[in-house]
Amino acid sequence: MIIVSNTTPLSELAKVGKLELLRELFGTIFISQEVYDEVIQGKHPATSSVPSAKWIEVVTLGSPIKALELQTAFKLDLGEAATIVLAEELKADRVLLDERLGRRVAQGRNLPVTGTIGLLLVAKNKGILVEIKPILEEFLIKGKRISPYLYQEVLEMAGEN
């Protein structure tokens, strides 16, 4: 299974000590060089945990100009655009993206998208996580924005309401 991730799922999971969840779910995760550069320049736990994760593979885009074109056309950040292009180049089975505009662009290009919170549901359904509520609570404490509606909907889907 080929999984390509943008920066936000990596950084959000690292903030709550759950980056390894990606390895448990998917094995190898692919990221573009642009995403790697964003991650290592940040001020968050992913700055150190991503470079040391041997299961995260950094890939150079075959056509970096496509990422620049996509970035310009849709006003995406470079990491999002590079993630979408890399997913297309690798024929990814899934793209990990949180940002609304990036998700819409990826879905418009027929790429299956999952966000960070969706990953928690997948992990619970596979028995990797017993509970997701404590992780959602920690996300909120660490500054991740989750609407009250989404929060309740996710808990209901997880059977934790």
Side-chain angles (χ1 to χ4, degrees), residues 13-38:
L13 289 170
K15 282 180 196 174
V16 296
K18 294 292 181 188
L19 185 63
E20 282 287 320
L21 185 63
L22 293 173
R23 184 192 54 75
E24 292 175 52
L25 283 169
F26 307 116
T28 300
I29 300 291
F30 296 91
I31 62 173
S32 67
Q33 183 65 52
E34 291 81 357
V35 166
Y36 182 81
D37 293 344
E38 281 183 5

Side-chain angles (χ1 to χ4, degrees), residues 1 6-7 26 67 98 122 144:
M1 184 174 244
N6 190 31
T7 306
F26 307 116
D98 280 355
V122 172
K144 182 165 181 61

Side-chain angles (χ1 to χ4, degrees), residues 31-34 58-68 81-90:
I31 62 173
S32 67
Q33 183 65 52
E34 291 81 357
V58 181
V59 180
T60 301
L61 295 178
S63 183
I65 192 73
K66 284 184 182 177
L68 294 173
T83 296
I84 292 167
V85 170
L86 181 61
E88 290 175 334
E89 289 179 355
L90 297 179

